[in-house]
Amino acid sequence: MEFFAGLDVSLDERHVCVVDEGGRIVKEARAPSEPKAIARAIRHQGRRIQHVGLEAGSPSQWLHEGLVKEGFSVSVMEARHVRAAFAAMRVKTDRHDARGIAQLVRLGWFKRVHVRSLDARETRALLTARTFLVEKVTATENPRRAALRNSGLKMGAVTRRTRVARARELADGHEVLEGIVDAMLRVRALLLDELARVDGQLTALAKSDPVTRLLMTMPGVGVIVALTSAARWTIPTGFPVPATSVPGSG
């Protein structure tokens, strides 16, 4: 007999429901939201779990990887399909969600979501951090320019190398403006230091991966575009990458 398990989505604790091939509930339990604890909750009296399903969410990729390592066949399910299937549910609780997901897994009525590798997720996290830092560096420019402009002082035509010196020159002799300009420039310098550190990590990642090195041979494709594309595809099979060049092959 085959058995199927459904997990609800929660950061701290998960409800687990195991059903047999006829849809009968054979086990329900709660477990900490951690792969080994969930694996212990799913296993029961030597029954072989055919498939485990969980709804797509923030911890789902990490749990997917951990449960696969525990020996389960796992699918991360498209959240919109799950919500549509539960639309007629009169009482919606974590326990009922786990029951519903278990039945969807048993019937196969769901769309599977692609789960990126751990390396791809870490790369995307670095890229997200870089975007945040770039936005904050830009944000320090606006208050500084506004303070000078509101006092009738114009930056004029400046370059990246000259705008800091120009801002200090304009604020010289104005106590309040000097304080604003100095504060914004100190924050900007700290952000630029962190941005340079993250850029260094991204460059090292790009140079160590044969896929991103191949992408960067294309005109106009640099480190950021190559890493963003590789992290999205995980393994870009649409490109003619030699088998010996793909990480993990051969």
Side-chain angles (χ1 to χ4, degrees):
M1 182 175 289
E2 296 179 344
F3 297 89
F4 306 86
L7 314 175
D8 77 305
V9 177
S10 174
L11 290 175
D12 299 324
E13 189 179 59
R14 290 197 171 240
H15 281 257
V16 178
C17 178
V18 179
V19 299
D20 63 18
E21 58 191 18
R24 292 180 293 274
I25 297 173
V26 297
K27 183 178 182 181
E28 289 184 297
R30 293 184 182 183
S33 193
E34 194 274 329
K36 290 187 179 296
I38 293 173
R40 287 195 297 270
I42 292 175
R43 295 188 180 102
H44 181 62
Q45 295 179 356
R47 293 190 178 101
R48 183 179 181 277
I49 304 300
Q50 187 71 15
H51 208 139
V52 178
L54 64 156
E55 186 179 354
S58 54
S60 58
Q61 294 182 333
W62 169 65
L63 289 173
H64 173 275
E65 184 174 6
L67 289 172
V68 168
K69 289 180 179 178
E70 291 291 325
F72 295 103
S73 173
V74 186
S75 289
V76 178
M77 307 161 69
E78 168 62 56
R80 288 175 297 178
H81 284 216
V82 174
R83 284 196 297 269
F86 292 172
M89 188 181 292
R90 306 181 78 178
V91 179
K92 193 175 185 310
T93 63
D94 292 343
R95 181 181 181 185
H96 284 86
D97 284 353
R99 289 180 176 180
I101 291 172
Q103 297 295 348
L104 291 178
V105 173
R106 178 180 69 88
L107 297 170
W109 292 353
F110 64 91
K111 180 179 179 180
R112 181 178 296 182
V113 175
H114 171 65
V115 179
R116 297 184 179 91
S117 67
L118 177 60
D119 288 343
R121 298 200 299 273
E122 290 178 346
T123 299
R124 286 179 65 85
L126 267 178
L127 290 168
T128 301
R130 185 185 187 276
T131 299
F132 171 82
L133 290 170
V134 170
E135 290 174 351
K136 294 307 177 184
V137 169
T138 303
T140 62
E141 298 283 340
N142 298 330
R144 190 178 75 232
R145 286 179 175 271
L148 294 172
R149 186 172 56 249
N150 292 340
S151 299
L153 303 171
K154 297 182 179 180
M155 292 285 289
V158 294
T159 65
R160 288 187 176 183
R161 292 185 177 182
T162 61
R163 60 185 171 190
V164 171
R166 177 60 175 165
R168 293 190 185 279
E169 178 187 346
L170 292 174
D172 187 34
H174 302 270
E175 184 178 351
V176 174
L177 290 180
E178 284 183 343
I180 294 173
V181 170
D182 285 343
M184 292 298 101
L185 290 178
R186 285 197 301 272
V187 172
R188 181 175 180 272
L190 289 172
L191 290 170
L192 287 174
D193 286 344
E194 292 302 315
L195 180 59
R197 185 179 63 81
V198 171
D199 280 343
Q201 290 179 278
L202 291 171
T203 300
L205 280 175
K207 290 182 177 179
S208 66
D209 186 355
V211 172
T212 52
R213 288 203 305 270
L214 177 65
L215 290 173
M216 287 190 292
T217 62
M218 301 169 62
V221 176
V223 169
I224 303 303
V225 173
L227 285 173
T228 301
S229 301
R232 181 180 297 273
W233 298 322
T234 302
I235 296 180
T237 53
F239 285 83
V241 182
T244 55
S245 298
V246 178
S249 64

